[in-house]
């Protein structure tokens, strides 16, 4: 499905992981390769901007890491990122420029693009979050099905077999996830979509939407209004 492809979810100029993402069509195809990519990239990072802290852990000199945070490799913390009190990075994590990983947040096998915020009690595993994506307090990605079967990405048009047992969520650029929401395995959310607090989300959610519940997904009228204004301005200028 076209809308779920990497090129339609992410601005690759906003992640240090662009060389990896460019190799694949769908974002979940990247998940098995994050670990080795970090190791290769880390050794090539400029020493005047990054320092190595332990085995396969590279932290930008402009980043802030709380003394109580736990970083496990392989891991890259990009420039001006902030890792707050008691954050737990289990490994295989890329944390983008200006990103925030907050109190008691846990990361595992993830790519966080620039300016991502997972600031309060979040679990993000086997997932990719786009530029300026934000997860409200207590919201999590569930990355393994209860019956332990392989994850299938479901949409109104088709179901896609991923071949993966562990697959959290793919959040497009500027996605907002409300507090205490659960993103079920195989969730893909298009750009500029808002998810209500306390939601249970699964499958594909189109871009520029408001997710109220699985039966009520509506287009964001504010976004569409401004898009229509831009279109009218182009007509006037023409």
């Amino acid at each position: 499905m076209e809308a779920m492809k990497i090129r339609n979810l992410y601005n690759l100029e906003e992640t240090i992981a662009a060389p990896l993402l460019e190799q694949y069509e769908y974002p979940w195809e990247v998940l098995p390769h994050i670990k080795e990519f970090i190791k290769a990239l880390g050794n090539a990072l400029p020493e005047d901007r990054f320092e190595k802290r332990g085995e396969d852990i590279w932290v930008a000199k402009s980043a802030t890491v709380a003394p109580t945070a736990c970083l496990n490799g392989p891991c890259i913390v990009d420039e001006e990122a902030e890792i707050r009190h008691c954050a737990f990075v289990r490994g295989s994590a890329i944390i983008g420029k200006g990103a925030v990983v907050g109190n008691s947040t846990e990361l595992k096998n993830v790519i966080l693009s620039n300016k991502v915020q997972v600031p309060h009690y979040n679990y993000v595993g086997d997932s990719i979050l786009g530029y300026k994506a934000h997860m409200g307090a207590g919201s999590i990605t569930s990355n393994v099905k209860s019956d332990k079967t392989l994850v299938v990405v479901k949409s109104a048009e088709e179901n896609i077999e991923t071949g993966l047992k562990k697959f959290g969520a793919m959040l497009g650029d500027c996605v907002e996830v409300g507090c205490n929401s659960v993103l079920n395995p195989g969730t893909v959310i298009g750009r500029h979509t808002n998810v209500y607090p306390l939601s249970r989300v699964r499958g594909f959610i189109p871009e520029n939407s408001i997710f109220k519940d699985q039966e009520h997904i509506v287009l964001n009228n504010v976004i569409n209004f401004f898009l229509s204004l831009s279109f009218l301005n182009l007509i006037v200028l023409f």
Side-chain angles (χ1 to χ4, degrees), residues 90-236:
R90 283 169 57 187
S92 298
I94 295 174
I95 299 163
K97 289 182 175 67
V100 175
V101 180
N103 175 33
S104 301
T105 290
E106 181 177 346
L107 303 181
K108 174 255 179 185
N109 199 45
V110 297
I111 296 173
L112 307 186
S113 298
N114 299 345
K115 301 290 186 180
V116 164
Q117 293 193 350
V118 283
H120 310 287
Y121 304 100
N122 306 110
Y123 173 69
V124 187
D126 299 287
S127 301
I128 300 175
L129 277 56
Y131 174 63
K132 283 191 174 180
H134 172 261
M135 296 182 66
S139 60
I140 65 168
T141 65
S142 174
N143 60 335
V144 179
K145 295 173 65 175
S146 59
D147 61 5
K148 306 302 188 292
T149 57
L150 300 181
V151 176
V152 177
V153 179
K154 299 180 179 181
S155 73
E157 297 181 14
E158 62 179 320
N159 294 338
I160 302 177
E161 302 277 351
T162 69
L164 298 172
K165 184 178 178 181
K166 294 185 178 181
F167 174 159
M170 307 290 128
L171 306 188
D173 295 341
C174 302
V175 166
E176 289 279 344
V177 178
C179 295
N180 289 320
S181 293
V182 176
L183 309 181
N184 284 284
T187 295
V188 181
I189 304 179
R191 290 170 167 164
H192 301 284
T193 285
N194 287 9
V195 174
Y196 269 28
L198 301 173
S199 293
R200 293 174 295 171
V201 187
R202 67 177 67 250
F204 173 65
I205 312 302
E207 66 180 20
N208 299 328
S209 298
I210 298 175
F211 180 97
K212 299 181 179 181
D213 57 51
Q214 210 67 42
E215 304 301 322
H216 299 89
I217 303 170
V218 299
L219 289 177
N220 190 328
N221 292 327
V222 173
I223 291 175
N224 290 331
F225 172 73
F226 283 108
L227 287 176
S228 65
L229 282 182
S230 298
F231 178 72
L232 289 173
N233 287 338
L234 286 174
I235 292 176
V236 171

